[in-house]
Amino acid sequence: MTWLTWRQFRTQAWITLGILVALAVALAFAGAHIASLYRASGLATCTGATCSDLTDAFLAQARAGFTGPVRVLAVGVAYLAPALIGAFWGAPLVGRELETGTFRLVWTQSVSRARWLSVKLALLGAATALAAGVVALVVTWSSARVDGVSGRMEPLMFGSRGVVPVADALLAFAVGVLAGILLRRTVPAMAVTLAAVAAVQMAMPTWIRAHLVTPLSRSVPLDPTKGAGIGLQSDGHIRVWIEPHIPGAWILGSTTTLPSGKAFDGIADPTYCSRSQSPEKCLDWVAGKNLHSVVTYQPGSRFWTLQWIEAGIVVALAAVAVALCFWALRRRAA
Amino acid sequence: MIEFHLDARSGVSPYLQLVQQVRHALRLGILAVGDQLPTVKDVVATLAINPNTVSKAYRELEYEGLVEARQGVGTFVVRTFGESTLAAQGPLRDELAAWLDRAREAGLDEEGIEALFRDTVRAAVGRTS
Amino acid sequence: MTTAIRTDALTKRYGRRTALDACTLDIPAGRVVGLVGPNGAGKSTLLQLLAGLLEPTSGTATVLGGRPSSGPEQLARVGFVAQDTPTYSGLTIRDHLRLGAHLNARWDAGLAEARVARLGLDPDQKAGRLSGGQRAQLALTLAMGKRPELLLLDEPVASLDPLARREFLGGLMEFVAEQGATVVLSSHLVTDLERVCDHLVLLAASHVQVSGEVDELLATHQRVTGRRRPHDEAPAGTSVVRSGHTDRQSTFVVRSSVPVLDPEWAVEPLDLEELVLAYMTQDVVDAHDLTVEVSR
């Protein structure tokens, strides 16, 4: 069974290996170049306010030249790899056998259907984890210096590093196999797989990831004379906001509150704040309110915690898909 | 060794065709005592027929005492219709040829001759059995 | 006499469509069984149920004493050649033989390789490049390499030209002569099978119409012709399979275990094709009543 699995998979395996090597080489060059930029930037030894300027300069350099496109490519590959694995390894695994009728050949050899599927899933599942792992590893490694400065909690960055791409790939593979079994056609199964993977990659950061661990919140005094923005809306309400900055954290949102902790309703006193009054008058009025901005966020220190929890959930979903594969294969009618 | 062939349209069952072909070969001296018949495996491979058909034909020939199956070796001819029948064939053939000439003179065509011959054979078989 | 295949009220439905209805069979071991019937009669469904590729909706199938595909041991005893003889187009003949060796504990590499050599096939040829006949031979070789006690073949010769057909069936019969295996092969044409099968199962409209030893079937079925008379005045002691009438003449295909001696009737033997046709166009009576079981 191992031999047959390898024999049917080896072409894809060689192609994948080629792509991985090319990717690793490109990212190794980019990573080494960024590391040298970092050493030259002096960020390692800076103190105080100079660090901020050095950071901006370093990030601008990292975005320029060939390292910028390579880094964009790296993120793209990290997101695409699961989808491609699901579509090109998962969907045809059983789907093509059902489509071409070869299942009637292979299921009437002296190997039970369940064992046939187990071996295929185990070997290609391992290959999936390995390939996605290599992608995630080289992306994580080559981005380490930039991530260390600008953070890696932003949804786009988070999903392309660590163990999440590996989990996504395993889910994509399992979903691909399941789609192949249920649809019994390779191409529709590939399409369904791509859609399913995209949906998971979209749903996770949009609705789920932020709540995996209760977010932290921080209250910052809102001083409209120092950096906070203020806007007078046509209905007479005013909006006060601040651009919260917490290094390395993923900012989920902020609300403006009164000192009592109640949310600021935005209803302004028209004797101070209206089209006919001067903005200064309104600013003074707002300052007198002693408003605070409560920022909710996930700190950078939770990167691995969130990675493992999300990966755990995705792998659990993959396990469900695998169980469904066995169930569907036993129940299917030719 | 002889090679069998089957005529699908003859109406004669395949097993009987095989029996007749062996008898025919014995009569014509194509097969002699000690000769081997094709193995069942060879016959079925070339004719694409059921092995039981061949076995049945060989069993019938064995029952008639014409051939003998030797375990693991094959089936061999143990008796022919004898020198006497072979020797008698020449004169009989001459007589038959003369008779055919007379039948034609009497106005019988090919079909009439065959019909008369077949009827007479059947009647004779009916009388002796 | 041991039984190779026994089915009891075996039924398979796809949704509301019944592919096989209450099929009851008892086939002795060592037979070459011709499974004959028009397209869509349920032949493929029956074979796939026996091979364990399908699960019955109701009823049971017992193959060589076991439930189909109930485990590796059962799978090893049954060889299956599917309709259109699917093979892996990207794999070579050699790869297919290695597949057989890796997936079958009882694989006979010598038999398989000898067969490929005798067929004049190049082991490095990809299966996708083979002709229909060569592909069928490859699929048959794979099934034979298992040394099965039962070989199931689904329309194996339907797409083959006469020469390839002869070679395929010749190879199959050679295997039967050597191994003594039981074989079931289906075809919608009885003429494809009449030389090779000694047992006939006729399926039509999802029902078994007739099943029995070929010799016995031929011996017990006759066509009788006589002057015109009503349907129920067929020769005494016979059951009518099919009747036809002109204004002067009545023709019955009858089944009878005793000879029809009444001089009123002209009696003719049937060949297998005529027998099959008679059952396929039989008088519309409840099909169950007409199902004839001829067994020793």
Side-chain angles (χ1 to χ4, degrees):
Chain A
M1 218 24 254
T2 312
W3 174 83
L4 177 63
T5 306
W6 164 245
R7 180 62 191 82
Q8 290 184 288
F9 177 61
R10 70 179 188 197
T11 310
Q12 288 136 293
W14 290 127
I15 293 171
T16 309
L17 187 67
I19 295 172
L20 286 182
V21 167
L23 180 75
V25 168
L27 286 179
F29 272 111
H33 185 64
I34 288 171
S36 72
L37 288 176
Y38 182 82
R39 276 194 303 278
S41 70
L43 271 170
T45 52
C46 73
T47 50
T50 55
C51 279
S52 175
D53 294 342
L54 289 177
T55 301
D56 290 345
F58 166 65
L59 290 178
Q61 279 178 320
R63 266 194 288 274
F66 80 99
T67 54
V70 168
R71 280 171 34 76
V72 172
L73 175 80
V75 172
V77 168
Y79 277 99
L80 270 179
L84 294 176
I85 286 173
F88 288 96
W89 294 5
L93 190 72
V94 183
R96 181 159 298 151
E97 304 261 1
L98 296 175
E99 190 172 41
T100 58
T102 45
F103 71 96
R104 295 198 179 95
L105 175 74
V106 77
W107 291 354
T108 49
Q109 306 302 312
S110 316
V111 169
S112 76
R113 220 179 289 185
R115 195 172 115 71
W116 174 83
L117 183 63
S118 308
V119 174
K120 292 212 146 204
L121 286 178
L123 293 179
L124 264 74
T128 297
L130 192 69
V134 168
V135 170
L137 195 69
V138 293
V139 170
T140 306
W141 173 80
S142 70
S143 315
R145 283 303 180 197
V146 176
D147 287 352
V149 173
S150 66
R152 53 186 179 178
M153 289 297 281
E154 282 302 316
L156 192 66
M157 301 295 140
F158 185 91
S160 63
R161 286 139 170 76
V163 290
V164 165
V166 181
D168 283 355
L170 286 172
L171 176 62
F173 172 68
V175 166
V177 176
L178 182 62
I181 293 174
L182 295 178
L183 297 172
R184 308 168 63 187
R185 302 269 301 281
T186 308
V187 174
M190 289 169 95
V192 166
T193 307
L194 291 175
V197 174
V200 169
Q201 286 176 336
M202 220 109 88
M204 272 296 171
T206 313
W207 293 300
I208 298 166
R209 187 179 297 150
H211 312 291
L212 295 177
V213 179
T214 313
L216 295 181
S217 59
R218 179 186 287 184
S219 183
V220 191
L222 259 184
D223 190 346
T225 56
K226 278 193 218 150
I230 182 164
L232 184 62
Q233 289 165 317
S234 54
D235 58 1
H237 284 55
I238 59 165
R239 209 162 66 81
V240 186
W241 73 90
I242 191 167
E243 202 69 65
H245 181 69
I246 303 168
W250 177 26
I251 307 297
L252 304 174
S254 64
T255 49
T256 306
T257 60
L258 296 165
S260 64
K262 275 173 64 181
F264 174 55
D265 55 14
I267 297 169
D269 186 341
T271 52
Y272 299 98
C273 296
S274 73
R275 297 281 173 222
S276 52
Q277 305 296 333
S278 71
E280 288 75 20
K281 220 170 164 184
C282 187
L283 274 178
D284 285 344
W285 179 81
V286 170
K289 287 275 183 190
N290 199 13
L291 294 174
H292 280 67
S293 175
V294 178
V295 183
T296 53
Y297 66 103
Q298 293 286 5
S301 59
R302 287 185 176 173
F303 178 78
W304 283 110
T305 310
L306 288 171
Q307 279 274 334
W308 284 114
I309 295 175
E310 181 169 330
I313 291 170
V314 174
V315 168
L317 288 176
V320 170
V322 165
L324 286 175
C325 285
F326 281 98
W327 174 81
L329 203 66
R330 209 174 46 241
R331 279 194 41 107
R332 74 164 281 293
Chain B
M1 190 75 74
I2 57 167
E3 198 172 61
F4 292 112
H5 52 87
L6 285 181
D7 181 358
R9 272 171 231 85
S10 69
V12 179
S13 72
Y15 109 88
L16 207 53
Q17 290 190 43
L18 299 184
V19 171
Q20 287 172 350
Q21 281 167 38
V22 172
R23 288 203 200 116
H24 191 69
L26 289 170
R27 250 179 226 116
L28 296 179
I30 297 170
L31 280 176
V33 171
D35 282 352
Q36 190 181 357
L37 295 184
T39 63
V40 173
K41 189 180 143 215
D42 287 342
V43 177
V44 300
T46 47
L47 293 181
I49 56 171
N50 191 300
N52 291 335
T53 308
V54 187
S55 309
K56 192 173 166 191
Y58 283 13
R59 269 203 309 276
E60 173 135 347
L61 290 164
E62 208 174 346
Y63 182 74
E64 289 173 15
L66 295 171
V67 303
E68 187 182 274
R70 291 177 203 154
Q71 197 64 45
V73 191
T75 307
F76 295 86
V77 175
V78 289
R79 185 173 72 81
T80 68
F81 291 106
E83 288 302 311
S84 55
T85 46
L86 273 176
Q89 267 186 22
L92 283 169
R93 185 191 294 267
D94 293 343
E95 282 178 42
L96 185 57
W99 178 84
L100 283 174
D101 288 342
R102 286 208 305 282
R104 282 207 192 86
E105 278 164 26
L108 268 71
D109 59 358
E110 205 77 359
E111 201 179 309
I113 291 171
E114 273 179 28
L116 178 61
F117 184 81
R118 230 181 294 125
D119 274 3
T120 314
V121 168
R122 196 174 298 146
V125 169
R127 234 183 10 254
T128 52
S129 63
Chain C
M1 188 172 292
T2 54
T3 296
I5 297 168
R6 173 170 293 145
T7 67
D8 185 20
L10 192 64
T11 302
K12 178 70 188 178
R13 273 188 281 275
Y14 299 105
R16 303 183 65 176
R17 191 174 72 80
T18 302
L20 192 68
D21 194 7
C23 166
T24 299
L25 286 172
D26 193 341
I27 293 170
R31 295 292 186 279
V32 178
V33 183
L35 177 58
V36 179
N39 290 326
K43 303 188 295 291
S44 247
T45 302
L46 175 57
L47 287 173
Q48 291 188 67
L49 285 165
L50 297 177
L53 285 171
L54 291 178
E55 288 290 317
T57 309
S58 64
T60 56
T62 311
V63 173
L64 303 171
R67 199 168 59 78
S69 80
S70 53
E73 191 48 46
Q74 177 75 18
L75 283 165
R77 299 171 73 194
V78 181
F80 183 69
V81 177
Q83 193 163 7
D84 302 325
T85 57
T87 50
Y88 291 103
S89 57
L91 266 57
T92 63
I93 290 175
R94 197 192 305 278
D95 287 334
H96 277 88
L97 297 192
R98 291 181 71 180
L99 179 159
H102 281 281
L103 266 56
N104 296 287
R106 294 202 314 214
W107 181 253
D108 188 336
L111 183 151
E113 279 160 23
R115 238 185 93 75
V116 167
R118 201 147 38 82
L119 290 164
L121 297 175
D122 172 11
D124 294 316
Q125 178 99 329
K126 290 218 162 138
R129 299 248 177 108
L130 296 175
S131 71
Q134 291 171 324
R135 214 180 55 229
Q137 290 283 21
L138 173 59
L140 180 61
T141 305
L142 263 182
M144 284 178 176
K146 291 171 77 174
R147 284 186 172 275
E149 293 158 56
L150 171 67
L151 246 179
L152 305 169
L153 303 101
D154 192 357
E155 294 269 4
V157 297
S159 59
L160 305 187
D161 60 63
L163 179 63
R165 197 170 291 201
R166 168 71 71 92
E167 283 175 346
F168 184 92
L169 291 176
L172 181 64
M173 288 305 108
E174 196 180 348
F175 179 79
V176 172
E178 274 183 336
Q179 309 281 331
T182 307
V183 176
V184 181
L185 66 172
S186 71
S187 175
H188 57 280
L189 294 173
V190 70
T191 45
D192 283 345
L193 308 180
E194 62 181 340
R195 277 181 165 195
V196 299
C197 67
D198 47 22
H199 194 106
L200 181 83
V201 175
L202 175 62
L203 266 183
S206 315
H207 286 274
V208 177
Q209 307 293 338
V210 65
S211 163
E213 303 288 310
V214 169
D215 287 349
E216 201 126 0
L217 288 174
L218 291 176
T220 53
H221 287 78
Q222 282 100 27
R223 178 170 42 234
V224 297
T225 318
R227 64 174 172 79
R228 162 107 212 197
R229 63 190 80 196
H231 185 90
D232 54 2
E233 285 182 25
T238 66
S239 56
V240 176
V241 178
R242 181 173 183 272
S243 57
H245 305 278
T246 66
D247 54 346
R248 291 292 174 83
Q249 194 186 42
S250 287
T251 307
F252 296 101
V253 171
V254 298
R255 176 177 169 266
S256 164
S257 47
V258 293
V260 176
L261 296 171
D262 187 345
E264 287 269 299
W265 296 99
V267 182
E268 287 170 297
L270 294 173
D271 68 18
L272 203 55
E273 189 177 7
E274 291 170 307
L275 189 144
V276 165
L277 277 174
Y279 273 98
M280 269 157 57
T281 56
Q282 64 184 278
D283 297 351
V284 183
V285 193
D286 184 2
H288 288 284
D289 295 343
L290 261 171
T291 301
V292 182
E293 282 290 338
V294 183
S295 52
R296 284 185 184 147

